[in-house]
Structure formats: structure tokens, C-alpha cells
Amino acid sequence: MRILDIAIKDLQQILRDRRAFLFIVAMPLVFTFFMGFAYRSMSQAPDPRLPIGLVDQDAGGELSQALGEGLAQAESFRLEAISAEQAENAVRSGKLAAALVVPPGFTRSVLAGTESQLELVVDPFSNRGQSVMEMVRPLVMHLYSSVEIAEMSLRAVESHIPFSSEVARQQELLAAFDTSWRAWDTSSEQGIAVEQVTSPPQAAHAEPFAGNPYNQASPGILVMFTLFGLITSATLLVQERRARTLQRMLTTALHTWEIMAGHLLAMFTLVLLQGLLLVVFGQLALGVNYLRQPLGVLLVMVSLAAWASALGLLIGTVAKGDEQVIVIAMISMFLLSALGGTWFPLEGAGRAFAAVGRLTPTAWAMTGFQNLLVRGLSFESTLLPFAIQLAYALGIFALAAWQFRRQAN
Amino acid sequence: MNDDLAIEVKELRKSFGSLQAVRGISFQAAKGEILSLLGPNGAGKSTTISMLAGLIAPDGGQASIMGHSITSQPHQARACVGVVPQDIALYPDLSARENLSFWGKMYGLRGAMLKSRVEEVLQVIGLTERQHDRVGAFSGGMKRRVNIGAALLHTPAVIIMDEPTVGIDPQSRRYILDNVKELMRQGMTVLYTTHYMEEAAELSDHIAIMDQGQIIAYGTHDELIRLVGEQTRLDLGLSVEAEGILPAWQEVEGVFQATASDGIATVLVDDSNRVLPRLFESAGKAGVRINSVDIHEPNLESVFLHLTGKALRDD
Ligand SMILES: Nc1ncnc2c1ncn2[C@@H]1O[C@H](COP(=O)(O)OP(=O)(O)O)[C@@H](O)[C@H]1O
Ligand SMILES: [Mg+2]
């Protein structure tokens, strides 16, 4: 009962502090918006595919058509049909990485066995130019080989049964080319795989953050400002010592653990309320679907509040003055937030960074949220993050309790 | 253990590093009395009180409050005590009423009982009208009054007050001293520390004079005064030619000695109340006019000076 009285008194003090309102309510709301905008522009980043122009002067030709399809299907290219006059300028200005020029009568000439050159307009010394050359070359080789294979197989057939007419031969040759081209197409998946490695990461079509950048920003800010909000409640503990009210409490029949539990309860409640506020805001204003798995969200938040309030107790106990509270809380916040993936998903970070990040309790809070919001997993996916965060809570609390007892005596 | 004792202290000791703050002190307070610990700054008064309040553990010795040992039954002992700390220990951002209410709860009061006790205490400390104001906005004297009030809520058997009047205006001090006497009338035992000898003299049934971690004298006010002898010094202003009255005064009952210089007669007497009328009578008969009277009763200051060779106060 007295635990509750202490907690209520703490909350009363905090709610009367105007600075607390700023820290706990106003700033996280503003930051959520801000981060959301930052992610939005990130997810609208320029198309990573290389823009490539096709000058098709062999309109209707089967080979140029196949070539166009081949380029369009390659995931590394964004194909644009252009005229011959535009080609040079577009490449020079960088608007296009390259332009492939198909000369007039290309299909007919190649099938007739006469020479006809494809031309690639490209800056061979630029990175993009080199990438394009590397990626276009196999496609062109593939085209010529397909024609060659068709020619060879036709000759084999011809030696037994000659064609009735030149037109029939042409038709058969085209059919053989088509078969060969497509056969290659399916078997050349590896070729495309190689292209993917050398090209910028695909991701052009997969929506980051499951389509809503606030799916990262909202829980990220929630976790980060949970730590920021600790400044207010930890300062209260320092003041309690400095104003000697802690000593006075110790002269009443209170037990030390009751005093600790009271302060802890106040911090826990505050963190939880702050979190709920941001969840409601995220749900209603930002379209983050927390309510899809309300129980899972609650589990993540309760365990987050548990370790965060224990950390608040520790900070308030260890810090010598108000300034130290701010310094320690800010350092904890920046370290745990950055490492724990509240600013950007750990999946996108380097391997070593992510490995270290995994050691922070913030990372587990984020994992819990992302499992629900981004990965669309079920409630069970929050059990592990819940358990690990609780373990952190116990550890931090043990440390805080040890310090607190040491000081009370 | 004596059932009549509210506080019993035996050979209590406490050192901070090499500094012996309290060097094996013993004293007792009977139920319902006011006992003062009188001593200069640094004498060890607060340290003694911190041990009794359970804030710091003694290095040695024993103490009990209402029969509960502070070391083996700390919680029972604490439940009988209201401690008024030397420093104001309140929440400045809460109102007087909220502060009292909170501390009442810490002492285990609830509901209607809590409410009525808060009202009573607000009355006692004279802050009913300001009860909804923030304590942080109060004057030093008003804060002190709330500081005391917070220890009275649960009507403890024993009140321990550590220099409750330091640094406040005379009016608030008067208020507090009257409160303390009222508490005693209600049957509470009060342990009162101070370095103002007037306060100790006015309030106490018994006084323990403390210096450098030791109790150097203990007794009632009169018993302590007797340590320096009971003579009261009277300084009487006379006209110069009237000094011839001195031989007659030497013969008055209760006069030990009478001398004069520069028109001031200095007379040492046993009890000014009894002797002064006789001196006036004798002067009247001789036609001598007494135009001023100064009574210097022996006080605790002189006792302290007598015992330690130094002044009690440095201010
Ligand atoms: N926590 C402490 N650490 C070190 N020295 C202390 C501590 N508390 C008191 N002292 C020292 O012990 C002596 C007695 O102090 P205190 O009990 O506060 O005296 P008083 O209350 O009579 O003024 C002083 O010399 C003081 O400096
Ligand atoms: Mg003191």
C-alpha cells in the first residue's frame, strides 16, 4: 500500500513538471513525424536499376524484339525506347547509362548470314558504363549463339529433307531460333544471378518497412524516448536524496525495498503510459497497425517498461546530481538506441554492428515490434523478445537494488 | 529494562574514519518529559539522533525506544518515533497538505484517520490557511513548521527534534517552542537538540550538555546552574555620593558581597527575587535612589563556559 503511495506521489510530482511533459509527450511525437519523413524519402530513393535506351531501327524484326524483351526482363535494367538522335546526348548527359542501337534490317541481315553490327553507346570508363557492357554482352552473345544454333540444326534437317521454299526455310529458322533463345533463357538463370550481384541490391519492388515507413519510425521512437523519459523519473530519485526526504522515509517504519518498489512502480507506469500514448498515436495518426496483435504489443511494451524502469532506478541511484542523470541517461539512450536498431533496422546494418546490437535490450524490443509490424508474424513471435527483455530487467534491477541498499546504509 | 523510560541510551559510539563523533554516551528520558541535548555545532548531536532514528548503525553501545532496541528491533523502535530532521525534508513542489498527507501515509495512516490528523496538525502548526500552497514558496519558518508537523501525524510516543529552530524568525521560533510544550502536555516524550541555551532552559525537564562527542553534564536546569554556584549578580545604578549605602547592604540577608565603582553597585545575592525588595527597602530608608537594575542570573552559557572553558555559541 505504501509502495503505491510512493508511486502516486512520484507521478504527481512528474506530472506537475512542465519539462516532463516536453520530454515525455511532445518530443517523441515530433520525432516520430520527423523520422517517418526521413524513412519515407529513403523508401522513395531513385530506382536502383540502370536506365538503358533501345534504339530499335529494325521495327518488327524478330531478333530485335527478342533483344528488347531480354533487356526488359533483366532486373538490372530499366528499358526506355528512344530515337537514334537522342541516344548520344542521353548517354553523355548521364540520363541513360547506355543506349543499344539496332541497325535497320538487323533481323533479315543476321538470318541471311550477312554482317550487321549492334552498337552500344556507352562511356566505357564510367562505372555504370562498365556494368552495362558486362551485362549486355552475354545477352548479345546469347542472341548470336541462338541464331547460330538454329542455323546449324536447320542445316542438319536440310541435309535429309530440303525445304520446299526459301520462305518455309526462313519460317523454320525463326522457329528454331525461338526455341533456342527461350531454352537458353530458362537455363541462363545463373547469368542473371551474377548480374544481380554486380548491380545495386534489387529491392526495387519489395516495399521496405512493409509499405509504411512509420512501421519503423513509430516503435523506434517509442523505444528511444522511453529511455529519454527516464531523465525525469531518475532526477526525482536524486532530488529525493538531496532534499533528505529519502532519509526521512528511512526513519519511518518503511522497509528499503518498499521505497525502491514505489519508485520502480512509478517509473514503470510512466514508461507504459508514454508507450501507450505513442502506440495510440501510431495507430490512429500514422497507420501503424499495432492493434493487429494487441496482446503481442502489450507483451513487448510491458517487458520494455520493466527493464527501462529498472534502468531508471539504477541511473537515479548512481548519479550524484541532476546533471549526471542527464548525461548518463543521454549516453544510455544514444548507445542503446543506435546499437539496438531504433534508428534503422539492424538487418540493414553491417554484420559486426548487428551482432553487437543484438546484445542490447533495445534490439529485442525492436525485434518484438518488427516481428508484429513489419514481418507480420503472430503473437508467439513476441515471446522470446519478452523473455529476454525480462531477463535484462531482472539483471539491471539487481544491480540497482544493490546500489540502493548500499547507499541507504 | 525500565518501563518508565521512553529513551534509554547506553555507551553509544560512532566514528567517521578517525573522527570519533560520538564517544560512548549514556542518557535516559522518562516518558512524558522533554530532554534537551545542548551543545555547539559538531558536538555529535545529529549523529546521536541519526543512530536513534535508525539512519546509521552505531559502532558500539545500545539504545532502546519505548523498550524496543534500535539494533535488534529497528522497525518496532521506529514505529514509536517521529523524527524531525535538522534539514527540511519535504517535497517543495507539493503543497503543505499534500506533504503532510504523504508523510501520514508513510507512517501508516489511512482514510478518515489520516484526514483528521492532517487537519489537526495543520491547526497545530498554524498553516490551515496556507495548506494548499506549495511548500517551496514558504518562508523558512513556515517550512520548519511543516517539517515538524510531518513527524507528529501518527501521534508517536517519542518525538526527536534536531535543531528545529535554526535560522528562522523569532515569531516562528515562538510558535515552535510553544508547540513543543503542548506536545509534552499531550504526554509525548521529546528529545530536543539545540545549541541555543535559552531554548534548552525554557523547554527542558532535563538537559544533557554535549561537547566533542561526550555528555559533559546532565541534570535539571537548576542542578546544572548549581555547578557554577547559585549566585546571581545584580548591577544597580546609583548616584556616586550614594555609595555609602554599601555597608548597609552587606548586612542584608541573602547578600554575599556588595561593591561599587562609577555609580554601579555590583551585588552578589543568592536569590534576586527575595533580596531585591530588601535592597530597595534599605535604600528607601537611607534616601538613596536606585535608577537602574540589571539581573544576571547564572545561565547554561556560564555552565558551559565553566565546564569547557569556551563559549557555547560562536555567533
Ligand atoms: N557522515 C559523516 N561523515 C563524516 N563526518 C561526519 C559525518 N556526520 C557528522 N560528521 C562529523 O561528526 C561530528 C559530529 O557531527 P554532528 O553529529 O552533525 O554534530 P552536531 O549535530 O552536534 O552539530 C562533526 O565533526 C561532523 O563533521
Ligand atoms: Mg546537527
Side-chain angles (χ1 to χ4, degrees), chain A residues 48 52 59 63 95 145 157 259 267 278 282 301 332 365 371 381 384:
Chain A
I52 187 166
L63 293 194
K95 210 180 133 246
S145 333
V157 174
I259 302 176
M267 294 195 206
L278 292 177
M301 297 228 304
S332 318
N371 282 351
S381 71
L384 182 65

Side-chain angles (χ1 to χ4, degrees), chain A residues 59 70 130 134 145 153 178 208 237 279 311 313 349 356-357 366 370 398 408:
Chain A
Q130 286 175 1
E134 240 167 75
S145 333
S153 58
D178 201 50
L237 281 190
V279 160
L311 183 63
L313 191 67
V356 175
M366 286 310 288
Q370 285 163 343

Side-chain angles (χ1 to χ4, degrees), chain B residues 15-17 19-22 39-49 56 86 162-163 193 210 213:
Chain B
S15 295
F16 299 107
L19 177 89
Q20 292 177 283
V22 175
N41 281 328
K45 305 184 296 293
S46 293
T47 305
T48 304
I49 280 183
I56 56 178
Q86 180 171 349
D162 197 2
E163 310 224 27
T193 85
M210 207 171 166

Side-chain angles (χ1 to χ4, degrees), chain A residues 383-407:
Chain A
L383 289 178
L384 182 65
F386 173 76
I388 293 182
Q389 287 189 86
L390 272 197
Y392 270 103
L394 285 179
I396 300 172
F397 178 75
L399 208 61
W402 171 62
Q403 278 291 323
F404 195 93
R405 274 186 178 280
R406 223 176 52 125
Q407 278 181 6

Side-chain angles (χ1 to χ4, degrees), chain A residues 1-2 5-6 9 12-13 16 236 239-240 243-256 408-409, chain B residues 53 55 75 78-79 83-85 87-91 93-95 98 102-103 105-108 110 147 150-151:
Chain A
M1 198 58 193
R2 284 187 281 204
D5 295 326
I6 295 176
K9 188 272 302 166
Q12 213 173 0
Q13 282 182 290
R16 263 179 217 185
L236 218 55
Q239 282 170 358
E240 194 96 52
R244 311 233 136 219
T245 42
L246 173 63
Q247 286 84 337
R248 184 171 210 149
M249 276 190 209
L250 291 169
T251 68
T252 69
L254 275 174
H255 295 268
T256 316
N409 296 322
Chain B
L55 281 179
H75 281 278
R78 268 182 236 175
V83 179
V84 180
D87 307 289
I88 289 162
L90 300 168
Y91 299 103
D93 39 359
L94 300 187
S95 71
E98 286 165 341
F102 174 76
W103 290 112
K105 288 177 200 160
M106 292 303 102
Y107 283 118
R110 307 263 136 215
N147 200 37

